[in-house]
Amino acid sequence: MNSAKRPVNCHKAYHAHVYFDRQTLEFAEKLCLEAGDLFGLKVGRVHQKLVGPHPRWSCQIIFSHKSFDELVPWLDKNRGNLSILIHALTGDDLKDHTEFAYWLGDCVALDFSMFAPQT
């Protein structure tokens, strides 16, 4: 399923989560490191396990609104067949991963249960 909702630069800070599997690990790692080098961004660990709400292995790129307009099109052009979640960092994790979330490539169903209020 492809999302028609394209990334919009309307927040101060963002994460990009690049999703991959065993076959695309090397490509994804290279993509993330190259993005970090080209745009001077912090790149997180290349997780070969499930982390947070992410149902696939992933690597996180941290960026601000200042890098958004160059980084996001670059990621889209260079991602191959990888899916990439772009989401805002507003302090509201549920909204960040739903209302303020955008996809490059196919959408991936996230596990929102960790954002449920604790009773």
Side-chain angles (χ1 to χ4, degrees):
M1 165 169 92
N2 241 339
S3 173
K5 188 175 169 187
R6 300 298 298 165
V8 177
N9 188 0
C10 58
H11 293 94
K12 291 193 181 287
Y14 297 89
H15 281 167
H17 296 277
V18 177
Y19 294 114
F20 56 91
D21 59 22
R22 193 172 313 284
Q23 289 73 36
T24 56
L25 168 63
E26 187 177 326
F27 178 80
E29 184 173 29
K30 185 176 176 183
L31 177 74
C32 291
L33 293 175
E34 189 173 350
D37 289 345
L38 281 173
F39 299 98
L41 303 174
K42 182 177 179 187
V43 175
R45 278 183 255 157
V46 177
H47 291 285
Q48 295 180 55
K49 63 181 182 176
L50 303 185
V51 176
H54 310 289
R56 295 187 184 166
W57 294 355
S58 63
C59 181
Q60 174 180 278
I61 302 169
I62 302 166
F63 63 104
S64 76
H65 64 98
K66 294 177 184 176
S67 301
F68 188 103
D69 292 333
E70 290 182 340
L71 173 66
V72 172
W74 183 90
L75 284 173
D76 199 21
K77 179 181 176 187
N78 293 285
R79 67 180 175 78
N81 290 324
L82 300 178
S83 292
I84 301 176
L85 168 64
I86 307 285
H87 72 79
L89 294 174
T90 66
D92 184 329
D93 287 332
L94 182 58
K95 277 189 176 181
D96 290 346
H97 289 82
T98 55
E99 187 177 334
F100 306 136
Y102 310 98
W103 290 94
L104 303 177
D106 292 336
C107 297
V108 175
L110 303 178
D111 177 4
F112 300 121
S113 64
M114 67 182 11
F115 304 137
Q118 301 296 324
T119 56

